[in-house]
Amino acid sequence: MKTHCFAVVALLLVVLPNNIVNGKSVPLELSLGKISQKANNMKWKNLKNNIKNNIISELDRDKMKAGFQNIVKLLPESEQTYDDVKKTTKQLLDTLPMFAKENIQDKSTDPTVFMSDRLPSNSRYMASVGNGYLSTVVYSDTVYMNGVYNGFLRESHRARIPSTNSIQMSLAGKGVGDSQQSYALDVKKGVFFHRITTSDVVVEQRVYAHQYYTRLLVSDIIISRQSVSTSPITVNLQTNYGPESNDFDFTKNPPHQGIRAMHGPIKTAETSTSGKPVVFVYWTEVPNNLTLPASQQSQRWTFLTSMALDDNEAIKFYKLGIQLLADDDKLYNSHVSAWEYKWNHGRVDLEGNLNLAKAIYGSMYYILSSLPPLSTDESFKFPFYGLSPGGLAQGAQGQDYQGHVFWDMETWMYPTMLMFYPSLAKEMLLYRTVHLDSSKQNAKDFGCNGAKFAWESAYTGHEVDPAPDTRDFEQHITGDVGFALQQYIAATRDTKFLNSQRGFETIKSIADFWQCRAKWSTERNAYTINHVMGPDEYHQNVNNSVYTNVVAKISLNLPYYAANLINSTVTEDWKNIADNMYIPFDKEHQYHPEYDGYTNGTTVKQADVILLGFPLMYNLSDTVRRNDLVYYQQHTDSHGPAMTWGMFAIGWLELGEEQKANDVFNRSFTNIQEPFKVWTEVSDGTGAINFCTGMGGFLQTILFGYGGFRLHLDYLEFNPVLPPSTSRFNITGLNYLDSSLDFVISEDNVIVTMTSHSAGAAELTLVYNGQQTPLQTGKPIDIPRGKAEIIPSEFL
């Protein structure tokens, strides 16, 4: 990259929601510092001061614009640079509120309802609705579809479909000034509500992505009289279709009987052979206003959008929606019932800490709304294309990681979903196994056997990361996929997945890749892995990243466990490499340096070494575990991404240090933007939105930290602690080996109840303090709070 381009990069780091270096968010100061070192022939001191003083410190629009113009003057003359700066200026002015924390409150006392009398001024903090097939930020001009991307390889990003169902309403006529407004996201129902209330009328809007009929996006508007007034009541409607999409070649059909339609392919395929998906959209035409006649007490209007990758399918779902509307409120009720089914199969409830309870429900909702339904008609199912850091509602070009799938899915979002919804966890893994051939090609291109999973993938599974450092070096993602496979097998023993859905082939292909990467070192008398980048993205192209080497070791051992379940055999070569893998360790100070040559005191970006203890559960003494936590807590960037602090909390809880755990756990809450519990990647409101990665780390702190759950290869362990300011901690629907388990945790005891047990599933026994009690459906077992195990009876 030419030197003058670093100026543009610096500007982008400041003004865009994604402050990205090497593919991930980094703090402004460090970003500018690193860039200044590379571009020392420019007036970086002046540039840096202009950015800080005129863009960050001053939130006034005119001052920011003037400050940006000052920065432009410092740039070398270049038409390309100038165009980039103009584009960035517009993005800056469009995202001003991101720099300020807004004083807006959630006024609901229901943990599943987030309500306010006004919307956040930054539209990126708005709630989203989704069902795994389609998703939208409420009132935005964009809808995204699962797996639909536009752009060749590194230009690939979610393809924007203009929103045909973005409708904002306002009450017309007298009495408007006395109206009360409320906006609420009800996560239990999966519905966004807007209500306008006066003494004469209540107007309610319901916005939802149907949880059962997944091709439908729905907006209901209901006008109801509250008095004896007989005047007509009019509600004005404003749509937000937005500009035409730059990602599709859409052809619009003329309106027909109130129905509109368009269809078209994406403009650019992801690879030369992947083809161009065609999207078909049908929607209800939206008038300028609705009027409740003087003779009516109440009326509902429903506006449908149906979209699919097949014309017949899109038409079919639109007609289904219309048919259900004829049966009272069946369309809405079937959606609410589908969400109820989902929550009944997995949730966490707290008593005594409303804010924490809301944060849990919000995090679960946003992840679940980007995953497929838990139960739907077989003919409605669809291929799932992975979970990105910003969920399905985000991913525009240049923002929110463009909707790409990273290690974030397996390492951060997946573990909690696995413990409640193993079928949804399997959908995540199938995204990897379905694209196994692409990953094998990635490995071949790299010069290795086996499968190398792309650091960033989208539609095809090929590498789409635009940043060479992460693309080339952050190979631990292949081990992360392997570890997720191990967790899934331990939780389900799904031999069908291993035998007929490429699970075992994927496991062996991952081991093949690490066999290729591991080289014998006579100096170390061990196998080493050089030229990598660990989770700490401040340090690239290092040798023997401790995290990478441990996750590779786990991947090399996994084939033996899987082979035993399906009566197969594998080569002994992998075990030899695993047993002799070099793991960096400082014997004098009894801690793990992050990589070869790591200098004491060096700042790291995020959780890296501490992940050895959890989730990897690498064998560590309490002394070493404590030393790793103490050292890296002092040297981890305090402005690092959200999921980091939850991992420290889990570590401290593991060691019985509840106060230390609570202190770092509470730092997570600064990433939640009110009132709709939208997470940002960085606590100052910047970075990816809505950051499901941070939510996933937070949820792991709840389940694996305070819940104390550990999924071992042959048993499930738990050792719960009440979360801060909590009097009761209920875990509903935890799924282990095809049995559903409920846990009610209080200060002194834990009640464990098996609520369902599938035919042919393993018999389970609860073991506490040496006492064994078989679990039976519907029969609670009450034990003192402490460490206990649930063990398949065959292993007793």
Side-chain angles (χ1 to χ4, degrees):
M1 183 180 289
K2 294 182 180 178
T3 304
H4 69 259
C5 293
F6 284 102
V8 177
V9 174
L11 297 173
L12 287 168
L13 285 165
V14 178
V15 302
L16 290 180
N18 289 12
N19 307 337
I20 301 174
V21 167
N22 294 332
K24 287 286 186 175
S25 175
V26 297
L28 173 67
E29 285 294 325
L30 186 55
S31 305
L32 290 174
K34 293 182 79 171
I35 291 169
S36 341
Q37 294 170 11
K38 295 181 179 179
N40 55 17
N41 60 331
M42 292 186 64
K43 300 178 182 178
W44 277 101
K45 183 177 181 181
N46 292 335
L47 175 60
K48 185 173 178 180
N49 287 337
N50 267 291
I51 292 173
K52 288 178 64 179
N53 297 333
N54 294 299
I55 294 184
I56 299 299
S57 301
E58 300 290 342
L59 297 179
D60 178 82
R61 193 181 188 96
D62 292 333
K63 288 183 180 180
M64 291 185 76
K65 187 173 182 180
F68 211 95
Q69 290 169 346
N70 288 337
I71 292 171
V72 171
K73 293 176 184 177
L74 294 172
L75 298 173
E77 290 296 326
S78 165
E79 184 177 348
Q80 180 183 2
T81 302
Y82 183 68
D83 287 342
D84 286 345
V85 169
K86 285 196 298 184
K87 178 180 177 182
T88 305
T89 303
K90 180 181 183 303
Q91 291 169 318
L92 165 69
L93 298 177
D94 288 343
T95 57
L96 289 178
M98 65 181 285
F99 295 116
K101 277 281 187 180
E102 192 170 2
N103 184 21
I104 185 169
Q105 295 181 343
D106 172 6
K107 298 184 176 183
S108 171
T109 57
D110 184 333
T112 66
V113 177
F114 315 146
M115 183 175 66
S116 178
D117 56 9
R118 61 189 176 94
L119 298 176
S121 58
N122 186 348
S123 61
R124 282 173 61 78
Y125 297 163
M126 272 297 294
S128 59
V129 294
N131 55 29
Y133 188 83
L134 55 83
S135 188
T136 185
V137 174
V138 176
Y139 300 144
S140 75
D141 64 5
T142 298
V143 179
Y144 291 122
M145 280 181 64
N146 163 65
V148 180
Y149 295 84
N150 180 51
F152 185 73
L153 289 179
R154 294 161 197 172
E155 297 295 322
S156 178
H157 57 276
R158 289 205 193 279
R160 175 184 170 267
I161 303 168
S163 180
T164 55
N165 207 301
S166 180
I167 306 168
Q168 287 189 271
M169 64 179 193
S170 59
L171 192 59
K174 61 180 181 180
V176 175
D178 297 327
S179 65
Q180 293 182 329
Q181 307 263 356
S182 70
Y183 302 89
L185 176 66
D186 187 326
V187 300
K188 186 177 180 180
K189 297 177 179 177
V191 179
F192 184 86
F193 291 92
H194 175 204
R195 292 187 182 93
I196 305 173
T197 305
T198 74
S199 57
D200 294 328
V201 64
V202 172
V203 186
E204 180 179 82
Q205 180 184 27
R206 309 183 302 209
V207 180
Y208 55 97
H210 207 288
Q211 185 66 198
Y212 191 86
Y213 302 102
T214 50
R215 279 61 165 179
L216 294 179
L217 187 61
V218 186
S219 186
D220 294 323
I221 296 177
I222 304 164
I223 306 177
S224 303
R225 293 184 188 279
Q226 299 297 299
S227 69
V228 295
S229 168
T230 56
S231 302
I233 299 172
T234 298
V235 173
N236 294 328
L237 305 182
Q238 182 178 350
T239 58
N240 185 20
Y241 179 89
E244 296 299 334
S245 176
N246 292 323
D247 296 319
F248 288 91
D249 287 319
F250 275 128
T251 299
K252 290 185 179 179
N253 299 347
H256 177 67
Q257 297 181 346
I259 302 172
R260 304 202 62 181
M262 63 182 178
H263 70 279
I266 60 168
K267 291 189 174 182
T268 306
E270 189 168 288
T271 70
S272 58
T273 59
S274 59
K276 298 180 181 181
V278 179
V279 169
F280 297 85
V281 186
Y282 291 84
W283 73 97
T284 311
E285 197 164 18
V286 181
N288 292 326
N289 53 65
L290 304 172
T291 298
L292 180 69
S295 59
Q296 284 187 237
Q297 190 69 21
S298 179
Q299 186 173 338
R300 182 189 72 237
W301 290 262
T302 297
F303 302 95
L304 297 179
T305 290
S306 175
M307 57 180 65
L309 297 174
D310 175 83
D311 193 19
N312 291 330
E313 187 173 278
I315 294 171
K316 169 187 169 183
F317 275 86
Y318 189 88
K319 290 180 177 178
L320 271 172
I322 296 297
Q323 291 169 12
L324 290 166
L325 287 174
D327 188 359
D328 195 22
D329 219 5
K330 191 172 182 179
L331 183 66
Y332 174 75
N333 290 335
S334 60
H335 164 76
V336 173
S337 294
W339 266 106
E340 182 181 19
Y341 182 84
K342 218 169 196 179
W343 287 120
N344 285 343
H345 282 75
R347 67 180 189 272
V348 175
D349 294 286
L350 302 179
E351 294 179 13
N353 191 332
L354 180 61
N355 288 336
L356 179 55
K358 282 176 175 278
I360 293 169
Y361 264 107
S363 299
M364 291 282 286
Y365 165 79
Y366 284 117
I367 294 176
L368 287 171
S369 63
S370 289
L371 290 169
L374 194 61
S375 176
T376 190
D377 190 286
E378 281 295 321
S379 66
F380 296 171
K381 291 187 176 180
F382 52 87
F384 180 63
Y385 283 88
L387 193 54
S388 66
L392 184 52
Q394 312 289 345
Q397 187 170 21
Q399 293 187 344
D400 306 309
Y401 302 117
Q402 305 191 113
H404 295 169
V405 181
F406 294 73
W407 77 310
D408 304 50
M409 180 170 74
E410 284 85 3
T411 302
W412 300 107
M413 309 171 216
Y414 166 91
T416 302
M417 296 299 107
L418 171 63
M419 298 310 297
F420 287 119
Y421 313 105
S423 64
L424 298 184
K426 184 176 182 177
E427 292 284 351
M428 298 187 208
L429 295 181
L430 288 173
Y431 170 73
R432 299 300 189 181
T433 60
V434 164
H435 291 121
L436 179 59
D437 290 340
S438 297
S439 300
K440 288 183 176 182
Q441 185 61 50
N442 294 340
K444 185 177 180 181
D445 293 343
F446 187 76
C448 273
N449 299 323
K452 177 182 182 290
F453 287 92
W455 178 243
E456 297 185 33
S457 58
Y459 179 57
T460 64
H462 288 288
E463 182 64 76
V464 294
D465 183 0
D469 294 339
T470 47
R471 183 173 68 235
D472 294 342
F473 299 123
E474 206 146 1
Q475 297 160 31
H476 66 79
I477 186 172
T478 298
D480 301 326
V481 173
F483 186 66
L485 289 163
Q486 175 174 296
Q487 291 173 300
Y488 178 74
I489 298 167
T492 66
R493 294 193 194 166
D494 186 348
T495 55
K496 177 184 175 183
F497 171 73
L498 290 173
N499 281 320
S500 60
Q501 294 176 301
R502 306 191 78 178
F504 190 45
E505 182 185 357
T506 302
I507 288 169
K508 291 187 293 182
S509 297
I510 289 171
D512 274 335
F513 174 75
W514 289 121
Q515 181 178 9
C516 171
R517 288 293 287 116
K519 305 299 181 186
W520 181 258
S521 166
T522 53
E523 178 186 356
R524 300 284 188 190
N525 196 34
Y527 284 95
T528 59
I529 302 176
N530 295 334
H531 307 299
V532 295
M533 179 191 294
D536 168 23
E537 291 167 326
Y538 289 171
H539 302 97
Q540 62 198 32
N541 195 9
V542 301
N543 294 337
N544 295 307
S545 150
V546 67
Y547 176 87
T548 302
N549 285 21
V550 169
V551 84
K553 180 184 178 80
I554 292 170
S555 298
L556 287 160
N557 277 322
L558 178 58
Y560 304 97
Y561 176 67
N564 184 59
L565 290 176
I566 58 174
N567 297 316
S568 185
T569 58
V570 293
T571 175
E572 288 297 312
D573 292 346
W574 297 326
K575 187 176 186 302
N576 176 57
I577 298 170
D579 289 346
N580 292 282
M581 181 67 70
Y582 169 62
I583 307 298
F585 183 69
D586 185 327
K587 291 183 178 180
E588 179 182 355
H589 298 100
Q590 290 291 295
Y591 90 113
H592 290 92
E594 190 177 273
Y595 51 83
D596 280 357
Y598 174 81
T599 304
N600 194 303
T602 301
T603 298
V604 305
K605 177 187 173 183
Q606 63 186 52
D608 186 310
V609 172
I610 65 164
L611 300 179
L612 270 59
F614 185 86
L616 299 185
M617 296 192 293
Y618 184 63
N619 189 22
L620 303 173
S621 68
D622 285 353
T623 298
V624 172
R625 179 74 160 130
R626 184 183 304 275
N627 290 345
D628 285 348
L629 289 166
V630 169
Y631 176 81
Y632 286 103
Q633 189 169 324
Q634 293 173 349
H635 296 98
T636 298
D637 193 323
S638 60
H639 300 290
M643 62 279 190
T644 288
W645 309 115
M647 294 301 106
F648 279 103
I650 290 173
W652 288 123
L653 287 165
E654 214 172 66
L655 295 173
E657 300 271 7
E658 289 184 40
Q659 188 55 54
K660 289 183 179 179
N662 293 346
D663 290 343
V664 287
F665 174 65
N666 288 335
R667 296 171 73 166
S668 301
F669 288 88
T670 60
N671 295 71
I672 299 176
Q673 309 300 324
E674 297 294 351
F676 302 123
K677 308 298 182 279
V678 170
W679 281 62
T680 54
E681 184 174 11
V682 187
S683 59
D684 63 6
T686 60
I689 297 173
N690 187 4
F691 195 48
C692 291
T693 306
M695 298 179 204
F698 168 78
L699 291 172
Q700 288 189 60
T701 311
I702 297 298
L703 190 61
F704 302 104
Y706 291 100
F709 287 93
R710 293 293 183 274
L711 180 61
H712 297 271
L713 292 179
D714 296 320
Y715 67 98
L716 178 68
E717 175 188 334
F718 61 97
N719 187 15
V721 173
L722 287 177
S725 305
T726 299
S727 57
R728 189 177 291 268
F729 181 16
N730 295 347
I731 297 169
T732 300
L734 190 140
N735 198 296
Y736 180 58
L737 297 180
D738 262 348
S739 289
S740 185
L741 307 169
D742 290 354
F743 297 79
V744 178
I745 302 159
S746 59
E747 181 65 36
D748 299 320
N749 67 325
V750 179
I751 300 173
V752 183
T753 306
M754 178 187 285
T755 57
S756 69
H757 180 74
S758 299
E763 299 297 327
L764 301 177
T765 296
L766 177 66
V767 179
Y768 175 80
N769 200 24
Q771 183 175 347
Q772 301 179 9
T773 308
L775 286 166
Q776 300 178 48
T777 304
K779 294 187 176 181
I781 301 174
D782 192 335
I783 61 173
R785 185 170 63 83
K787 183 179 288 189
E789 295 88 32
I790 294 174
I791 304 176
S793 300
E794 64 192 273
F795 293 119
L796 292 172

